[in-house]
Amino acid sequence: EGRENSQKHIAVFAFPFATHATPLLSLVRKLSQSAPDVKFCFFNTAQSNESLFSKDDDFERVKPCTVDSGLPEGYTFGGNPHEPVDYFLKATPGNYKKAVADTGLPFEGLVTDAFFWFSKEMADEMRVPWIPYFTAGPRPLLIHVDIDDIRTRLGINGPEDQTLEFLPGCSAIRAMDLPDGVVSGFLDSPFSRMLHKMGQMLPFASAVAINSFEEIDPIVVQTLKSRLPNLLNIGPFILRSPPPFSSDIHGCIDWLNQRPKASVAYICFGSVITPPPQELEALAEALEACQFPFLWSFRGKAEEMLPKGFLERTNDKGLIVPWAPQLKVLGHPSIGVFVTHCGWNSVTESIIGGVPMICRPFFAEQKLNQRTVEAVWGFGLAIEGGKFTKDGTMKALKVILSSEEGKLMREKVGVFKELAFKAVDSDGSSIKNFNFLVDFVTRR
Ligand code: UDP
């Protein structure tokens, strides 16, 4: 069978944790719409694929394929979110190599989560292009690409307040804002080593796609373009491919409709994080004392984890739900502030909604996002002392919801909101970059 006449196959490698596989699948689905002659195989763990695909999906064009999760037989999740990641990384890249070989298909390209540096070697062996997708923002990407230089200049475990003024657009960033494993912490963990390798390999990719837009951070983006071939800012991708209209079963939007403009604190720490008990308690106490209305998307059992009687006492002020339609919530005019862990998707969605943030980062590049939001973009506050205390939280809520400073932050984030929508408008920068990517994927 001649290659010209046969269907083109592309292998996609997803990272099955936190909110990584979801944006990659959205990208692939959109690519598939623009490249109907290409078949995509979406390699991911069975569990993650189950949560992403539904029986109504078109498996012909985007097919879920299973890779081994690396979990021991009979494994039960004990509550430590790092544990399944460590098992998975031990099984990688062997699990992807095996799954690809098992299909027997002649793949003509690899589109992968940028984490998977080993894809470069695989692509070389297969003599096909490698297109990594970085699902976070441009500044963490630059940090990972420049990691060796940063380590040389700052030293390992050097003073925490040293700044990265040697890196364009990063003079406000301090050593303490960097992700764990860059200049301190677990430099040798499987996760840190993966990110280190990623930074070293990305310059050899065919193109690097990123879920961001050029205008969000022009100096950093310009610097990245000098480091990477074909840097393609194609976001905020959620605006191009909003989540399917899921019914708002917990009634968040109805509830928000009854609150005054810019009055509500929306609280959510992404898909995996629950803050430790003392902090949950402090946050709850602050909400109760401040009397601002709040909507809380809560992982875990709220009635057991929040202070006794809190739910009853705040019944008329607050709504606590197990999952919220976040993009829609943040776009609702009643939302006044987003209390967030600063995951990239959350930061992006807050910008799209034009909502200032109160930041309580936990891991990965969340601290770097917080610093960027607070000190570079100026539309958010780091929580005092880095952890929720009753006083610190009340102070931050009051600044954003009821001060002139808060109003100014809202104006500032509004400017970024406009830039975000422009980037995905008909001839916006992200559309042009996406078209380039489609061309890359369909080309032979
Ligand atoms: N999300 C949501 N409803 C919730 C909680 C989270 O829709 O109640 C979505 C949110 O809109 C975002 C993603 O889950 O797209 C969280 O991604 P992020 O990168 O912020 O955090 P992670 O889950 O990776 O820690």
Side-chain angles (χ1 to χ4, degrees):
E1 193 183 30
R3 196 164 118 147
E4 308 76 48
N5 305 324
S6 66
Q7 195 122 35
K8 181 171 183 177
H9 289 89
I10 301 243
V12 183
F13 297 170
F15 181 73
F17 301 102
T19 307
H20 266 254
T22 308
L24 180 60
L25 182 58
S26 310
L27 170 61
V28 169
R29 283 185 168 142
K30 203 84 189 165
L31 282 173
S32 161
Q33 282 172 14
S34 304
D37 294 332
V38 179
K39 284 196 173 193
F40 294 89
C41 291
F42 196 82
F43 292 92
N44 191 13
T45 59
Q47 191 187 6
S48 177
N49 267 346
E50 252 163 57
S51 70
L52 293 175
F53 286 86
S54 82
K55 60 175 179 13
D56 307 323
D57 286 326
D58 180 358
F59 292 123
E60 262 307 298
R61 281 160 63 174
V62 181
K63 186 179 171 201
C65 297
T66 303
V67 295
D68 181 22
S69 67
L71 295 177
E73 281 241 349
Y75 171 82
T76 48
F77 180 61
N80 172 7
H82 298 290
E83 202 175 71
V85 182
D86 287 344
Y87 278 119
F88 170 79
L89 290 182
K90 268 192 200 142
T92 304
N95 51 353
Y96 285 89
K97 288 189 174 162
K98 180 174 184 311
V100 166
D102 284 352
T103 64
L105 290 169
F107 290 108
E108 291 178 50
L110 298 183
V111 173
T112 78
D113 194 298
F115 283 1
F116 295 150
W117 55 274
F118 59 81
S119 310
K120 169 62 184 156
E121 269 169 36
M122 283 179 75
D124 284 351
E125 277 168 26
M126 296 157 82
R127 294 168 191 266
V128 302
W130 172 44
I131 303 171
Y133 186 35
F134 192 68
T135 58
R139 190 165 279 107
L141 180 57
L142 181 57
I143 298 295
H144 291 304
V145 170
D146 273 32
I147 183 167
D148 290 322
D149 184 49
I150 294 172
R151 283 180 175 177
T152 308
R153 289 177 188 259
L154 295 184
I156 301 299
N157 292 323
E160 285 201 318
D161 55 358
Q162 286 185 96
T163 61
L164 279 72
E165 77 272 318
F166 52 87
L167 203 54
C170 293
S171 56
I173 308 301
R174 306 153 303 181
M176 67 174 93
D177 303 313
L178 298 178
D180 180 84
V182 175
V183 290
S184 63
F186 295 102
L187 269 64
D188 248 346
S189 72
F191 198 76
S192 302
R193 273 187 276 139
M194 174 177 74
L195 292 179
H196 189 192
K197 287 268 198 190
M198 172 189 78
Q200 293 175 327
M201 282 299 184
L202 289 179
F204 304 102
S206 304
V208 178
I210 174 168
N211 188 6
S212 183
F213 52 102
E214 305 205 343
E215 299 76 12
I216 200 173
D217 223 332
I219 297 173
V220 169
V221 170
Q222 227 29 60
T223 311
L224 271 171
K225 284 188 175 180
S226 71
R227 308 277 202 273
L228 301 172
N230 299 320
L231 176 74
L232 301 174
N233 285 268
I234 54 170
F237 210 75
I238 198 154
L239 284 180
R240 306 227 36 224
S241 158
F245 183 76
S246 54
S247 52
D248 177 20
I249 46 173
H250 304 289
C252 297
I253 301 300
D254 275 352
W255 186 88
L256 285 171
N257 285 341
Q258 294 158 43
R259 314 287 141 182
K261 189 164 182 287
S263 70
V264 177
Y266 170 59
I267 303 147
C268 180
F269 307 102
S271 59
V272 276
I273 293 164
T274 308
Q278 325 77 281
E279 287 192 65
L280 282 180
E281 191 176 339
L283 173 54
E285 284 173 358
L287 289 168
E288 191 173 350
C290 272
Q291 294 277 310
F292 294 118
F294 64 89
L295 171 59
W296 196 337
S297 170
F298 198 95
R299 308 282 81 74
K301 292 188 175 140
E303 58 286 359
E304 288 170 20
M305 296 162 81
L306 292 176
K308 216 165 173 277
F310 172 79
L311 297 186
E312 294 75 27
R313 290 194 302 274
T314 57
N315 201 14
D316 59 332
K317 281 274 169 206
L319 179 65
I320 299 185
V321 295
W323 191 259
Q326 182 164 302
L327 184 70
K328 281 217 147 60
V329 164
L330 286 167
H332 194 285
S334 296
I335 298 292
V337 62
F338 183 15
V339 182
T340 171
H341 71 311
C342 291
W344 182 244
N345 296 293
S346 292
V347 170
T348 307
E349 290 159 27
S350 208
I351 291 174
I352 292 170
V355 177
M357 289 163 244
I358 293 176
C359 308
R360 166 51 174 115
F362 288 83
F363 54 73
E365 88 299 351
Q366 294 161 7
K367 269 189 297 182
L368 187 55
N369 292 341
Q370 157 184 281
R371 185 66 181 167
T372 303
V373 164
E374 183 184 52
V376 183
W377 295 331
F379 47 71
L381 292 174
I383 199 83
E384 208 175 70
K387 292 191 162 92
F388 291 117
T389 58
K390 183 178 173 186
D391 285 352
T393 309
M394 285 175 69
K395 234 189 195 163
L397 285 168
K398 281 181 188 162
V399 168
I400 296 195
L401 288 173
S402 59
S403 81
E404 279 307 311
E405 196 184 337
K407 262 198 202 137
L408 203 64
M409 286 186 196
R410 212 175 160 84
E411 278 167 28
K412 280 189 184 166
V413 70
V415 174
F416 280 74
K417 173 182 173 169
E418 260 185 52
L419 292 174
F421 278 88
K422 261 202 195 134
V424 295
D425 208 2
S426 45
D427 63 346
S429 53
S430 290
I431 301 297
K432 288 190 184 130
N433 288 331
F434 179 77
N435 292 339
F436 187 92
L437 189 60
V438 172
D439 188 45
F440 223 96
V441 165
T442 45
R443 191 187 299 167
R444 273 189 136 152

